[in-house]
Each structure stands twice: as structure tokens, then as C-alpha cells.
């Protein structure tokens, strides 16, 4: 009786791409839940929209590319892109923003480059950057914290805002939305106000911005759980946070009236934490050796500060990640670890 | 020796060792036929010294090192594992990943198991290292951990100050060394001292045991009585790799181009040590070994002392063959290989047989694309970037793969074990290595051919030139000759004309006489 032939190793860890991606989704849930708590149900509706769009695009493109549908549709990678993009969008943005951004991410940033494992840029971030450049109006209209505006957008109202652009009742959308804390800080600083003056605004809090600091902290904890689960390593998040902390502290010490505190940079919005733990750590587009990851993360941290402080955009996470994605092949080439015995 | 070093990466594996580790070593049944391959070690095959029809005794040399000098050629003799008759010397299937046949001596056993006269050494300390080494070589001892490196070759370097006996046994399922350490600790300690004597008394002699084998550790500790040091090393795959173990114990990193002996270190396996003990103390050559027979395809997993050449089929039957065997693995589950059938002999390097009725061992997952998660790089004990090696191998950019230290890969399988995309990474590296070697051979061949062609062209040109030169010189040489002849002829004609008689007459006279 002939036995089956195969090659070693014959053991395998109980792990798979689908499980890793699912763990990333799990780690996002607490942060998203807090988002709902502070800003209403808009984010959930957007995540639903991005998920449906992502899975549809993924299916169509797999079919067009003659790839196995089941295998790749169940790997959860399209859902990770969808959830990350959904969490980055303003909860009051119109529905087509979600659909357009996700379709662009999946088609152009993922499948045209060869699909899972071959995209040089993080698809969610490419989708986000495209939306930010093309539709600045829709992309900068953020809801006020429910506790500040005294109005909590529930499921029905959020749907109404997203699909028709109108809140329920007499209120206008403009009464419910405005600039993010990061954006407010930037415009006010440009108008020659000091940080202390700007921080009088009730949207700010002692160490970040109201609501956002909690969302950021929760994403931080989700990220720590991912490190514990060995889905990601500590190198990229720590390099981003460390370098951002370092460079912002430096300028904060030089002139604390013109440069906001390091804590504000980390917790003034959700972007720094979600960027550090969930977006920059996308393994496909990030640097791969441990030293490389540190360089890559440090680059992102410094670029975030540069763009936020001297650039044209209030936040720079997306562009920093994209810029460092470009540098990845070079970083990888020059950061080979020392091999045993050399 | 309290401090340990830690190599990069490594993985914690579920040992599955208690399947076979709790039963004492039993004797395997005497088979009807013994199939003994002439090459069971790294090096040159032995040459048969028996003919078909010869009666042989247990322990008798049936094939000898080529040129009868094991020191010159890397080779060891082969002994009959039991008494009987040589019935064939012919190619037979052997347990090798290639599946190719190799020359074997087949003995039909007579059931008497009659020993040849053994010459034992009662006090090895009075014997010179040179003689002992020869004795070990003649006993056919090779590294029994799986590599099969002739043992005497690792006993001749001078300047060795550290002897390590490798009892790590880090691969899952395998327990043969564990059982030996528990049951024969005295043999192993004495074996280690024999090694030490041969190596000229090394400063350190360490028996290293992974800490998942506490019984083996305490047994050895009791036997050692401070004569050799016994240490517990942390359980982490692949600590049992020679260079990894050296690193753990001494902190020395030995690269691919170097040998442990260059650093004054020699490593021998537990069972090799015991084989040396038996060869010296009892004069018994290597004719059997302990094999772990395990897996869910048999009723009774256990360790068996098996005569070399015993067909695997006999072993599986003895352990209670289940009807649904799917796969047969020789060696450990991380670095072993599958065998196509069980009509193959146990050889000197067979430390373990895993008989499995799926799905415990085989992985059924479809491979996904690499997502560069780097899990492989985190576990690589050599600190390579397996994801980059994979990338370049897939793109057939072998030059880059080589730059990323492909040839330092020890094929331990850690990367493939953790890969979430279920990529057969080790296969890719083996393929890349083979391609690079083939390319290099091809290039050498091409170089040779080109050189030959160039030389031929040069030679032809040279011959042509030489010929031409010869012709010219010949022409040049013959030119004056002609002139002289012509001149001489003219002279003669002139002379004739002036003195018509004086010259011819005497000649005529002479001829007439």
C-alpha cells in the first residue's frame, strides 16, 4: 500500500491569514463602540457600507482575474480594509463617499497591483487619501460630541443624514457638525492664537480632545492586544508613538504657545493610534525586518508631525504612511538582520 | 556553566513525546531478511567483502571501507546484524527522500543470532587515542542523531577543549535518546569519558538535556557523580541542532563555513555515545539502534532496539498496525521525510518512525499569497528574512536570494510552521539551493567548454602558424640548396667543357674494374 508523500514540516501552528485578519477586526471593535457612544451610529452605517462594497468589489475582481472566490473572500482582508476606511470617515459623510472610497481602494490599490500580498500601498489609506483630496468638504465635516451639542444621532437619524444629508426634525446638519479638534487647532494657530487660548474651546480636554482621547486610548489597547496575540510586533507602533512624542516634546518645550503638547498629538484625534497600530502595521505594505520597521515607524511619526505642524492638512497620518510605503523596498534592502555566525 | 545563551527565534512545540516515552526499550523481532545498504552515512559507500551464498555471523564485517582506510576516505565498514546467509548483493529501495535504489547486501537470517568473536577493551585508558579511534571506525559507528557523519572523523582534531553530548532531542515525537538516558545513564557517561580520552582530555564535558526530560536529567546526574557536567537547557525547537546547542551552551556562533572543531568544540549524539561505549567495553560493532515508533497509525507506540536492515514493515506489524495508515515519516515531524512504502530497511540514521492515519500531521490548507507578516523572521533561528528569501525565490532572482544568505538556512522548518499563508517555505529554499547549485555546475561546464573551445581555436591557429613557419623555413632552407646544386651543376658543365676527358675517364675506369 503506497503512503502519501509530502515534505516537512508536518506540523503547523493553528493560524491562518483569515484568523489574523479576524483578530484585527476584533481589536477594532472596542474603539468603534466608543465612537458610537460619543458620536452616534454614523460610523456603524459607514462600516456596513464599506464592508458590502468591499466584498462586492473583491468578488467581482477575483472573478475577473480568474482567482478562487471562496478562498479569498473568506480571508477577511477585504473586511479589514473596509473597517479601517469606515472608521476613518466622518460619521456624517454621505453614503457615496464610503462606496467610492472603498471601491477605489479595492480596485485600484489592491487588485490592480495583484491582490492580497502584492499591494505596495495600504488600500484603506489610498482610498482615504483619494477622498480627502477629491472631496475636502464632505471629508472635514465632523459631528460635535453628543455631550457638547446635546444631540445624540441614533440609528435612524444617522441613516437619514448619510443617505439624504438631513438630520431628523428642525435641526440642520451644520448645527451638528464642525471641524475636528486637530483641524480647529491648526486653523486657530494659523490665525495667531496661542495654544492656551485655543484650548479654552470646550472641545479640548486636559490631555487631548474630549471623546477622542478615549477613542484613541481604546484603539491603543486594541493594538496592545494585537501585539500580545502576535498579529503585529511592537516595532512599528512604538516607533511611531515614540518619534511623534519625541519631536512634539522638543517643539513643545521650545514654545508651548505655538506648538501643542505631545499628548494632544497622540490623543487629539483617533488617527494617531489607529494609524500606529492598525494602518502602518499592515504587513504587506510595511517594512519587514525589525530594524526596518523601526525606521519605517520613525519616518511616519516624524512625517505626521511635519504635516500637522507645517503642512496644508490638519492631520498627516494617511500621507505619512503612504510616503513611507514608497520607501519600504529601500528600507528592506538596507536593514537585513545580522545572520547567525556573521 | 550556569549561564545559557539564546539563539534568535525558535518555536515551542507540542512534544507528543509521552506517546512513546514511558515504556522501556523493547527488542524488535528478528526478521527473515535483513537489507543492509552499503551507504548509511555521509561519505563513500563501503565495498562488499562477502559473496552471495556466504555464511555470515552476527557482527561480522560484510562490507569494508574503500581502500581499507577509513581515515582517508570518509567511510565506515558495515556488519551483519544477525547470523545467516548472504542471498543477494543488488540495488534495493532504501529510505532516502530521492526514492532511488542503492546497493544493499541482503541476508537471510538463520534464527540462531550467533555472534562473531568480539574483542572488547577492558581498560580504555591504557589504549592510545589513535588505536581507539581506529577501533570505533571499525565498529561502523556514525552519528546516530540523523546526520550519519562517521563518528571517528569528529574525534581526530587536536585542540578540542569542549565536548558536548547532545541529549536535547528537540523534535516532537522522538524519545529514543530520552529512553536511553533513563535506562543506560552509566553507559552514556562512560561513553563520554571515552570520547574525552580520545580527544586528549577536554577541559569541559557537558551532557545537555532539554528540560522537558527531567527523568533523563536526574538519571544522568546520578551516574555522572561530577565526572562530567549534566545541564538542563530550555526546551525550544531547534535547540538540538548542533550549532544551535553550541550557541546555547557557549555563546559561540558558528557560521556555515566553519566547523565546531575550529572553535575547539565537538558534539556527539547520545546514542552515538552509547554505541561507542558498547564498541569499546563489549567490542560490539554497530548492528542495532533504538528507534522511536510512534504516531496514531499503530496500537502501541514505543521504543524498539532494532537490528539494522530490519524492514520497516516488520516493525509496524510488531507495534500493532492499524488498517488506515496514510503516511509514514522517517525522522521527526519538522525535518523528517515521508516514505512511499514500508518495504524499506531501518538504517543507522533512522531515529524515529511516525506512522500516522491523518489528519493529525498532514496539513490540508491551501497556500495563500505571502502577506509579509514576518512571523517567519521572528522565529528563524539563523535570523534570516524568510519572507524575502521566498519573494526572491518565487521571482527566480536567485542572486538576491543568495545575498539574503539562502545558504545559511538550516531547513529546520520553523518558518513554514508559523506561516499563516501555509506556504511550503522550506521547499522553496531547497528548490532555490538546488537551482543555484545546478546553475553553478552549468556555468562551470560552460566555462570548461568555452575554455576548451578557445584552446582548440588557439591550438589550431598555433598549429597552422607552426606549419606555415615550418614550410617557410623549409622553403628558406631548400632555396640555397638548389642554388648550390645549380651552381655546382653549372660548374661541372663548365668544367666538362674546358676539360672534356680528364674527369670522366677515371670514373669509367673505376666502374669497369
Amino acid at each position: 500500500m503506497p503512503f502519501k508523500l509530502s515534505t516537512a514540516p508536518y506540523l503547523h501552528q493553528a493560524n491562518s491569514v483569515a484568523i489574523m485578519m479576524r483578530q484585527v477586526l476584533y481589536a477594532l471593535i472596542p474603539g468603534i463602540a466608543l465612537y458610537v457612544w460619543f458620536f452616534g451610529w454614523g460610523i456603524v452605517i459607514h462600516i456596513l457600507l464599506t464592508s458590502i462594497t468591499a466584498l462586492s468589489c473583491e468578488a467581482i475582481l477575483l472573478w475577473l482575474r480568474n482567482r478562487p472566490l471562496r478562498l479569498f473572500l473568506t480571508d477577511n482582508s477585504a473586511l479589514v480594509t473596509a473597517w479601517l476606511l469606515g472608521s476613518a470617515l466622518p460619521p456624517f459623510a454621505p453614503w457615496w463617499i464610503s462606496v467610492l472610497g472603498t471601491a477605489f481602494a479595492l480596485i485600484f490599490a489592491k487588485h490592480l497591483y495583484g491582490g492580497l500580498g502584492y499591494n505596495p500601498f495600504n488600500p484603506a489609506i489610498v482610498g482615504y487619501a483619494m477622498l480627502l483630496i477629491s472631496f475636502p468638504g464632505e471629508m472635514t465635516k465632523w459631528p460635535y460630541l453628543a455631550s457638547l451639542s446635546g444631540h445624540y444621532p441614533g440609528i435612524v437619524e444617522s441613516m437619514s443624514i448619510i443617505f439624504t444629508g438631513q438630520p431628523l426634525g428642525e435641526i440642520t446638519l451644520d448645527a451638528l457638525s464642525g471641524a475636528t479638534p486637530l483641524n480647529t487647532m491648526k486653523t486657530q494657530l494659523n490665525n495667531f492664537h496661542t495654544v492656551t487660548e485655543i484650548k479654552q474651546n470646550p472641545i479640548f480636554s486636559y490631555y487631548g480632545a474630549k471623546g477622542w482621547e478615549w477613542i484613541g486610548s481604546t484603539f491603543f489597547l486594541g493594538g496592545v492586544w494585537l501585539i500580545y496575540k502576535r498579529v503585529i510586533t511592537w516595532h512599528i507602533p512604538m516607533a511611531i508613538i515614540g518619534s511623534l512624542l519625541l519631536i512634539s516634546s522638543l517643539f513643545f518645550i521650545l514654545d508651548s504657545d505655538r506648538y501643542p503638547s505631545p499628548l494632544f498629538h497622540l490623543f487629539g484625534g483617533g488617527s494617531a493610534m489607529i494609524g500606529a497600530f492598525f494602518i502602518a502595521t499592515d504587513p504587506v505594505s510595511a517594512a519587514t525586518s525589525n530594524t526596518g520597521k523601526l525606521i519605517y515607524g520613525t519616518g511616519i511619526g516624524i512625517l505626521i508631525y511635519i504635516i500637522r505642524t507645517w503642512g496644508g492638512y490638519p492631520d498627516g497620518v494617511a500621507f505619512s504612511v503612504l510616503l513611507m510605503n514608497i520607501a519600504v523596498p529601500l528600507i528592506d534592502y538596507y536593514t537585513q538582520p545580522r545572520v547567525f555566525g556573521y | 556553566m550556569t549561564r545559557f545563551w539564546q539563539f534568535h527565534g525558535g518555536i515551542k512545540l507540542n512534544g507528543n513525546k509521552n506517546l512513546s516515552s514511558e515504556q522501556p526499550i523493547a527488542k524488535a523481532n528478528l526478521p527473515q531478511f535483513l537489507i543492509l545498504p552499503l551507504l548509511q552515512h555521509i561519505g563513500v559507500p563501503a565495498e562488499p567483502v562477502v559473496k552471495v551464498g556466504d555464511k555470515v555471523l552476527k557482527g561480522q564485517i560484510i562490507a569494508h571501507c574503500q581502500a581499507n582506510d577509513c581515515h582517508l576516505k570518509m567511510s565506515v565498514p558495515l556488519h551483519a546484524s544477525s547470523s545467516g546467509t548472504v542471498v543477494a548483493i543488488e540495488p534495493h529501495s532504501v529510505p532516502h527522500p530521492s526514492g532511488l535504489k542503492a546497493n544493499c547486501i541482503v541476508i537471510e537470517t538463520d534464527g540462531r543470532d550467533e555472534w562473531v568473536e568480539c574483542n572488547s577493551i577492558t581498560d580504555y585508558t591504557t589504549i592510545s587515542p589513535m588505536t581507539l579511534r581506529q577501533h570505533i571506525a571499525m565498529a561502523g559507528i556514525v552519528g546516530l542523531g540523523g546526520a550519519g557523519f562517521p563518528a571517528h572523523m569528529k574525534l581526530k582534531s587536536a585542540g578540542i577543549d569542549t565536548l558536548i553530548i547532545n541529549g536535547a532531542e528537540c523534535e516532537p515525537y522522538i524519545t529514543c535518546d530520552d529512553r536511553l538516558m533513563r535506562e543506560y545513564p552509566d553507559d552514556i557517561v562512560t561513553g563520554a569519558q571515552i570520547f574525552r580520552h580520545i580527544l586528549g582530555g577536554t577541559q569541559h564535558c557537558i551532557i545537555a538535556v532539554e528540560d522537558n526530560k527531567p527523568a533523563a536529567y536526574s538519571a544522568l546526574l546520578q551516574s555522572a557523580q561530577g565526572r562530567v557536567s549534566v545541564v538542563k537547557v530550555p526546551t525550544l525547537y531547534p535547540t538540538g541542532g548542533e550549532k544551535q546547542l553550541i550557541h546555547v551552551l557557549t555563546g559561540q556562533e558558528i557560521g556555515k563555513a566553519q566547523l565546531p572543531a575550529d572553535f575547539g568544540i565537538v558534539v556527539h549524539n547520545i546514542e552515538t555515545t552509547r554505541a561507542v561505549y558498547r564498541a569499546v567495553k563489549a567490542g560490539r560493532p554497530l548492528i542495532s539502534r533504538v528507534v522511536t515508533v510512534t504516531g496514531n497509525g499503530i496500537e502501541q507506540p514505543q521504543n524498539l532496539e532494532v537490528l539494522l536492515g530490519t524492514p520497516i514493515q516488520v516493525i509496524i506489524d510488531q507495534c500493532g498496525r492499524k488498517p488506515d495508515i496514510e503516511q509514514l515519516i522517517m525522522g521527526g515531524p519538522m525535518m523528517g521525510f515521508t516514505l512511499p512504502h514500508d518495504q524499506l530497511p531501518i538504517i543507522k540514521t533512522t531515529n524515529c518512525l511516525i506512522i500516522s492515519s491523518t489528519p493529525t500531521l498532514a496539513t490540508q490548507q491551501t497556500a495563500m499569497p505571502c502577506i509579509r507578516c514576518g512571523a517567519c523572521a521572528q522565529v528563524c533561528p539563523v535570523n534570516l528574512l524568510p519572507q524575502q528569501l521566498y519573494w526572491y525565490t518565487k521571482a527566480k532572482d536567485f542572486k538576491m536570494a543568495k545575498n539574503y544568505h539562502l545558504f545559511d538556512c538550516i531547513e529546520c522548518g520553523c518558518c513554514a510552521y508559523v506561516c499563516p499563508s501555509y506556504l511550503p517555505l522550506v521547499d522553496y529554499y531547497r528548490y532555490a539551493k538546488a537551482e543555484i547549485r545546478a546553475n553553478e555546475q552549468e556555468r562551470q561546464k560552460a566555462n570548461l567548454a568555452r575554455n576548451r573551445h578557445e584552446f582548440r581555436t588557439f591550438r589550431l591557429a598555433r598549429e597552422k602558424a607552426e606549419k606555415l613557419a615550418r614550410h617557410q623555413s623549409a622553403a628558406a632552407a631548400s632555396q640555397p640548396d638548389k642554388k648550390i646544386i645549380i651552381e655546382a651543376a653549372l660548374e661541372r658543365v663548365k668544367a666538362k667543357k674546358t676539360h672534356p676527358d680528364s674527369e670522366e675517364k677515371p670514373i669509367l675506369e673505376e666502374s669497369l674494374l
Side-chain angles (χ1 to χ4, degrees), chain B residues 305-321:
Chain B
E305 172 118 33
V306 185
L307 294 177
L308 298 175
T310 306
I312 290 170
Q313 184 190 16
V314 175
I315 306 295
I316 299 181
D317 287 339
Q318 190 179 346
C319 294
R321 175 192 297 265

Side-chain angles (χ1 to χ4, degrees), chain A:
Chain A
M1 181 185 67
F3 302 130
K4 226 164 68 192
L5 295 178
S6 59
T7 51
Y10 303 100
L11 300 177
H12 204 284
Q13 202 174 34
N15 189 18
S16 71
V17 174
I19 293 174
M20 280 177 79
M21 297 286 175
R22 199 163 64 219
Q23 283 170 327
V24 174
L25 296 180
Y26 290 159
L28 280 169
I29 290 172
I32 293 170
L34 270 190
Y35 224 117
V36 174
W37 171 265
F38 287 115
F39 296 106
W41 287 85
I43 184 172
V44 176
I45 295 160
H46 275 298
I47 286 177
L48 279 175
L49 283 170
T50 53
S51 300
I52 295 164
T53 317
L55 288 175
S56 319
C57 290
E58 181 99 338
I60 293 166
L61 277 139
L62 286 171
W63 177 72
L64 285 173
R65 293 178 56 224
N66 247 330
R67 293 292 192 280
L69 277 170
R70 222 186 109 95
L71 183 67
F72 286 104
L73 278 179
T74 52
D75 69 13
N76 296 331
S77 65
L79 282 181
V80 169
T81 302
W83 285 36
L84 287 173
L85 184 55
S87 330
L89 296 175
F92 288 170
W95 63 271
W96 52 265
I97 283 278
S98 274
V99 174
L100 195 68
T102 315
F104 188 80
L106 263 289
I107 296 168
F108 288 92
K110 188 176 180 185
H111 279 284
L112 286 192
Y113 279 109
L116 179 71
Y118 294 96
N119 46 297
F121 303 104
N122 183 324
I125 280 299
V126 172
Y128 179 83
M130 183 279 283
L131 291 174
L132 190 64
I133 296 166
S134 314
F135 311 102
E138 285 79 1
M139 290 296 286
T140 48
K141 205 173 276 175
W142 286 75
Y144 286 128
L145 208 60
S147 60
L148 291 178
S149 66
H151 185 93
Y152 182 81
I155 297 181
V156 181
E157 186 164 48
S158 296
M159 282 180 79
S160 165
I161 293 170
I162 289 166
F163 289 102
T164 68
Q166 268 302 312
L168 299 175
E170 300 292 300
I171 322 162
T172 59
L173 187 56
D174 286 339
L176 291 179
S177 56
T180 59
L182 279 170
N183 204 347
T184 312
M185 180 67 80
K186 176 143 193 126
T187 35
Q188 302 275 334
L189 281 172
N190 284 346
N191 291 339
F192 306 107
H193 294 284
T194 65
V195 172
T196 330
E197 283 168 15
I198 301 166
K199 277 212 156 184
Q200 301 301 316
N201 190 321
I203 61 168
F204 296 101
S205 72
Y206 178 67
Y207 81 97
K210 283 204 183 102
W212 288 111
E213 57 201 15
W214 293 107
I215 292 169
S217 308
T218 316
F219 280 131
F220 174 84
L221 291 177
V224 170
W225 182 75
L226 284 182
I227 294 173
Y228 168 72
K229 282 293 193 183
R230 300 187 182 213
V231 175
I232 58 172
T233 64
W234 57 269
H235 304 83
I236 293 174
M238 287 310 133
I240 293 177
I241 293 173
S243 57
L244 185 55
L245 209 61
L246 208 72
I247 189 169
S248 53
S249 306
L250 192 75
F251 282 95
F252 182 66
I253 291 164
L254 282 178
D255 187 350
S256 63
D257 263 345
R258 276 181 54 214
Y259 300 103
S261 77
L263 281 174
F264 178 76
H265 276 284
L266 294 179
F267 295 104
S271 63
M273 290 301 148
I274 205 171
F277 285 96
F278 293 88
I279 288 165
T281 53
D282 163 32
V284 180
S285 54
T288 199
S289 69
N290 289 343
T291 325
K293 285 176 187 170
L294 290 175
I295 296 171
Y296 172 77
T298 308
I300 292 175
I302 291 169
L303 280 172
I304 290 176
Y305 192 80
I306 291 173
I307 296 173
R308 279 183 182 176
T309 311
W310 300 288
Y313 285 90
D315 199 356
V317 174
F319 297 116
S320 310
V321 172
L322 287 178
L323 285 171
M324 288 313 288
N325 281 167
I326 299 173
V328 159
L330 192 72
I331 297 174
D332 278 347
Y333 186 81
Y334 285 106
T335 56
Q336 292 181 46
R338 187 188 66 87
V339 172
F340 186 86
Y342 284 85

